[in-house]
Amino acid sequence: MQKKILIAIDGPAASGKSTTAKLLAKKLNYSYLDTGAMYRAITLKFLEQKIDLENLKKWKKILETTEVFLDYSNGNLEVWLDKVNVTSKIRTPEINNSISEVASMAFVREKMVALQQEIGKNGGWVIDGRDIGTVVFPKAEVKIFMVASVEVRAKRRQKDYENSGLSIPFEQVVSEIKKRDEIDSNREVSPLKQAKDAIVFDTSDLSIEEQVEFLYKKILEKI
Ligand code: DC
């Protein structure tokens, strides 16, 4: 039997990580973990509570009793926050505008990272995020750092919004992505950073099928 390894896929917002990771996991018969969805769910909770984001003491307390659960059992990701299905509520411009701030809080990352390490500890997972190859699984057998131009990423994100019924001007999406790149890359705790041993993969001119095929071949070399 083939050894089940861990595949870490990091990269900036809308670089194609999650679509590629999901298809890749399917092709390998692995499980897929979307760590961004976990931070999105926590951000939703923080926004719904309407407490000032500066009030860290209060947040720490709230986080202790917050439950995030990702369910892929029917083939699509369902995100549950405190037993409520929040799958469609976590991909809105409001969440995108506040998430970088929430994801830079050390105590939030501590809880999420521990959960992710527990989930992936036996291998057989494709995990995407910002710090998977650097912090969560620095010993992952395969590390991919996915990049694409801001314009290409903004077009993809705009299409995602359209698919969920939201019409957002292109310039607004570009500035949202630039702002997130800036915060994600410069935050103090676990910034978005390419692991030294990661394969840098530019997806600007590739289709999803080409991306999956390229990575699949790379991974087969490893297992
Ligand atoms: O992958 P995504 O766009 O759904 O991620 C949303 C945000 O969550 C992103 O702006 C940064 C944060 N994030 C993070 O800090 N660490 C991760 N491992 C995954 C996401």
Side-chain angles (χ1 to χ4, degrees):
M1 205 175 82
Q2 266 174 352
K3 182 185 160 208
K4 292 226 166 187
I5 62 167
L6 214 125
I7 298 152
I9 304 188
D10 291 304
S15 55
K17 299 182 303 292
S18 56
T19 316
T20 310
K22 200 184 328 177
L23 291 170
L24 189 63
K26 200 166 172 204
K27 209 166 157 97
L28 288 162
N29 206 12
Y30 277 23
S31 304
Y32 163 58
L33 180 63
D34 175 353
T35 60
M38 298 167 89
Y39 291 98
R40 285 174 180 278
I42 298 295
T43 305
L44 177 65
K45 172 118 181 193
F46 283 14
L47 289 183
E48 281 182 348
Q49 301 275 327
K50 294 196 172 66
I51 303 168
D52 191 345
L53 279 179
E54 309 272 294
N55 194 342
L56 292 187
K57 229 174 163 180
K58 189 110 197 169
W59 290 128
K60 279 186 191 163
K61 194 96 204 115
I62 289 177
L63 193 65
E64 274 169 27
T65 54
T66 300
E67 222 182 80
V68 177
F69 177 66
L70 304 191
D71 179 15
Y72 292 92
S73 53
N74 70 2
N76 284 315
L77 171 65
E78 282 190 356
V79 183
W80 295 78
L81 175 66
D82 299 328
K83 304 202 165 49
V84 177
N85 189 329
V86 294
T87 311
S88 53
K89 278 179 124 179
I90 60 166
R91 301 197 191 269
T92 62
E94 290 72 34
I95 297 285
N96 288 342
N97 282 327
S98 304
I99 192 163
S100 292
E101 203 175 341
V102 174
S104 22
M105 296 174 175
F107 65 95
V108 171
R109 302 206 70 83
E110 218 171 276
K111 177 160 171 161
M112 296 300 110
V113 168
L115 205 58
Q116 293 154 13
Q117 288 172 332
E118 180 58 29
I119 293 172
K121 67 181 181 199
N122 296 323
W125 285 83
V126 180
I127 306 186
D128 80 10
R130 302 292 189 288
D131 57 344
I132 310 305
T134 49
V135 175
V136 185
F137 286 105
K139 292 194 177 144
E141 286 88 344
V142 176
K143 296 180 188 176
I144 312 291
F145 194 77
M146 276 182 118
V147 293
S149 70
V150 171
E151 288 70 26
V152 167
R153 291 189 286 133
K155 271 194 200 125
R156 290 176 185 162
R157 181 51 39 94
Q158 196 183 29
K159 210 162 162 211
D160 289 343
Y161 282 142
E162 266 169 33
N163 290 340
S164 51
L166 294 169
S167 164
I168 314 281
F170 184 68
E171 283 317 311
Q172 187 181 326
V173 185
V174 168
S175 85
E176 170 203 308
I177 285 198
K178 283 187 177 164
K179 183 177 153 213
R180 269 215 290 154
D181 282 356
E182 166 76 19
I183 305 181
D184 290 348
S185 310
N186 295 309
R187 67 180 176 221
E188 250 170 64
V189 198
S190 307
L192 167 66
K193 199 170 72 184
Q194 180 196 326
K196 280 202 191 84
D197 48 350
I199 302 166
V200 179
F201 186 34
D202 189 333
T203 66
S204 301
D205 300 317
L206 298 178
S207 68
I208 292 290
E209 291 74 23
E210 288 168 327
Q211 293 171 30
V212 174
E213 207 42 48
F214 173 87
L215 294 181
Y216 185 66
K217 284 195 184 129
K218 283 266 167 233
I219 289 155
L220 287 190
E221 288 166 18
K222 290 265 177 187
I223 52 182

